[in-house]
Amino acid sequence: MTDRTTTPPPDGPAASAATATSGIGARALRGAAWSVLEKWGARLAQLLVFVLLSRMLDPTVFGVIAIAQVVLDLVRILVDQGFSQALVVEDRPDRAFTSTAFWVGLGVSALLTLTMFFTAPLVADLYDEPQLTAVLRWLSIGFLLQAASSVPQALLSREFRFRELAVRRLVSVLVGGVAGVVLAATGAGVWALVGQTLGTTAASVVVLYAATRFRPGLAFDRARWKGLVRFSGGVLGVDLMTWLVNNADKLIVGALLGTEALGYYYVAWRILMLVTEVMTGVMSGVALPVFSRLKGDRDLTVRALFRATKLSVSVAAPTFVAIAVLAPDLVPVVFGRQWGEAVPLAQVLCLVGLVYSVTFFDRSVLYAAGRPGLELVVAGLTAAGTALAAALGSLQGLMLVCVLLAVRSYGLWPVRIAFLRRVTGLPVGRYLLQWVRPVLATAPAAGTGELVRHLLEDADPLLRLVAAGAAFALVFAVVLVLVDRRFVRETLATVRAAARRRPPAGARAVPEQADAVRRETAPAAPAGDRHPSSGAAR
């Protein structure tokens, strides 16, 4: 944003870089504000439907739903093919580029819809669940709708038009949520999920095309298609590996322990993912466009990554520690007493959620730098670790599966850090130190929360949950202000500045902050590696 103060801004590259970064940062934060509304509103509606279903259906039915979701997630990845990320990263996507991406995606989705129709009985036979056949066939209609929405959604994202994306998401989730709740109330069971999914996807397409001017042209550019394939090939590989990471355990647990055990495991994971998606989803639409704008400057990329990571760990650490402490009351109160076996599983999986939330931005940095292949390596190792953890853990039970997944997550973290350092010159020591203060602040908060639960042991579970949660939040906030006052002050100032639609602290203060950060990060990379033409950056 242009600064309208009468004082002339300082001259030089530091001032220009700082102004550019603060401008993008302010746009990103305003986008994140709309993304907060989108994600939290959407997750609230989805959580409501999920809670209703969890109270009406038994674990075996949730196991069936989990199997269907695993298969559908794989096909959705094949429909997108990584084209949406390619559109976001592309400097100037013209009509030929967007039309080619649209028609290729639509053609692939039609082929996959037909494939699902004929292969659904095979999946149903594999898990001995006959109702899976009809469920998968009906849900495959959504592939065509998803392909139609992929290009306009990517175009809105690259233009930082997150208000339109937020409206689209909220409207579609509300439409699908109402359909799911009505079906659930009438005893439709698993068909409530089918109605919710199709209603959400159809409403999303309608709102997207109302919010954007994109209309596909009747053209196919072979050269543009080859360019899409060159970039999206690595992204598609990463997405497929990510699918394995997220779903290999469910496939193995369902096959070895049965659909009832899978139901408990699925609900524990679902609790974790709802929380994780609220936190990371807020920045998911913003991260790739921001890092793509900064890809020519490694120093600014590192600065942005530091800020994003510090904010993420400051939110993720107390959130997941609080869930671990409160889970014995949280799960029965919200989802019902029949899900008691999911409590210890959710507590262990909070360790996985913490590291995932903090490393979430790594992928956007690698994509923006044109290095999706490095993310593919990490995803491949993680997928292999997931399958191994599920296979070995299932021999002893669900708890060992969760413990081994946590070991996998932290064991592969150094690989991610090494790749970030290779691409950006990341100073590893400073990167890791960002964890210290937020994590330390959770210790007294956790102790306080557990003490309140003990003191209210005979009280109503809902009262105990609210009191312990409030005590945890209050103690964490106070301790964080005491141990990291500067971070809290700067974060609040930046949020207020974004709300006023201008760079934080004025044009005169930003260059000084940028120079200070540069002095701290300069030793991390030789001077010759900082130029965008450096081979290390490619």
Side-chain angles (χ1 to χ4, degrees), residues 76 86 129 148 244 321 326 367 533:
R76 288 192 185 102
E129 293 291 347
L244 281 174
V321 172
L326 303 176
Y367 281 176
S533 63

Side-chain angles (χ1 to χ4, degrees), residues 123-447:
V123 178
D125 290 342
L126 179 64
Y127 286 92
D128 195 23
E129 293 291 347
Q131 61 181 328
L132 266 176
T133 300
V135 169
L136 291 173
R137 283 175 172 173
W138 274 99
L139 287 176
S140 66
I141 298 173
F143 303 156
L144 297 170
L145 299 174
Q146 179 190 346
S149 65
S150 180
V151 172
Q153 180 177 338
L155 293 176
L156 290 175
S157 178
R158 64 171 280 108
E159 295 168 5
F160 289 90
R161 294 175 60 186
F162 296 105
R163 181 178 64 179
E164 289 86 347
L165 289 173
V167 171
R168 181 267 313 184
R169 181 64 173 162
L170 288 172
V171 170
S172 62
V173 168
L174 286 174
V175 171
V178 169
V181 169
V182 170
L183 289 171
T186 59
V190 70
W191 294 102
L193 177 64
V194 176
Q196 179 200 13
T197 302
L198 293 179
T200 299
T201 308
S204 176
V205 174
V206 173
V207 176
L208 271 177
Y209 278 89
T212 180
R213 296 180 178 178
F214 168 76
R215 299 296 183 270
L218 298 177
F220 177 81
D221 191 316
R222 187 178 181 85
R224 297 291 190 182
W225 175 70
K226 289 182 178 179
L228 280 168
V229 171
R230 277 195 298 271
F231 175 87
S232 64
V235 175
L236 177 60
V238 171
D239 288 343
L240 289 173
M241 288 299 177
T242 302
W243 174 83
L244 281 174
V245 170
N246 294 332
N247 296 297
D249 52 342
K250 299 180 184 66
L251 292 172
I252 295 173
V253 168
L256 297 182
L257 298 180
T259 53
E260 182 178 1
L262 178 59
Y264 288 116
Y265 184 73
Y266 174 77
V267 167
W269 259 116
R270 187 60 178 158
I271 295 170
L272 171 71
M273 292 311 300
L274 281 171
V275 176
T276 302
E277 288 168 3
V278 167
M279 292 186 297
T280 62
V282 166
M283 292 300 296
S284 63
V286 181
L288 184 57
V290 168
F291 285 116
S292 296
R293 297 297 192 276
L294 301 177
K295 62 184 176 183
D297 192 315
R298 298 175 73 186
D299 285 344
L300 297 183
T301 297
V302 169
R303 284 184 58 204
L305 180 60
F306 270 18
R307 288 194 174 191
T309 303
K310 181 62 177 288
L311 181 60
S312 180
V313 72
S314 297
V315 175
T319 298
F320 286 111
V321 172
I323 291 175
V325 171
L326 303 176
D329 293 321
L330 177 66
V331 173
V333 167
V334 176
F335 301 100
R337 295 185 179 276
Q338 70 271 28
W339 297 103
E341 293 187 29
V343 170
L345 307 180
Q347 290 175 313
V348 175
L349 290 175
C350 283
L351 296 172
V352 180
L354 177 58
V355 71
Y356 175 79
S357 298
V358 176
T359 60
F360 168 78
F361 300 97
D362 301 355
R363 177 176 299 183
S364 295
V365 173
L366 296 177
Y367 281 176
R371 303 298 297 273
L374 296 180
E375 180 64 26
L376 178 60
V377 173
V378 175
L381 293 174
T382 307
T386 300
L388 184 61
L392 294 179
S394 293
L395 299 177
Q396 296 294 325
L398 292 175
M399 178 57 73
L400 183 58
V401 173
C402 296
V403 170
L404 292 179
L405 287 175
V407 172
R408 173 219 64 184
S409 297
Y410 287 88
L412 291 176
W413 191 18
V415 179
R416 284 190 170 277
I417 294 176
F419 285 161
L420 284 176
R421 179 173 176 80
R422 177 179 174 182
V423 171
T424 67
L426 179 75
V428 177
R430 289 190 60 232
Y431 176 77
L432 295 177
L433 282 175
Q434 295 181 106
W435 280 70
V436 176
R437 292 176 180 177
V439 171
L440 285 178
T442 63

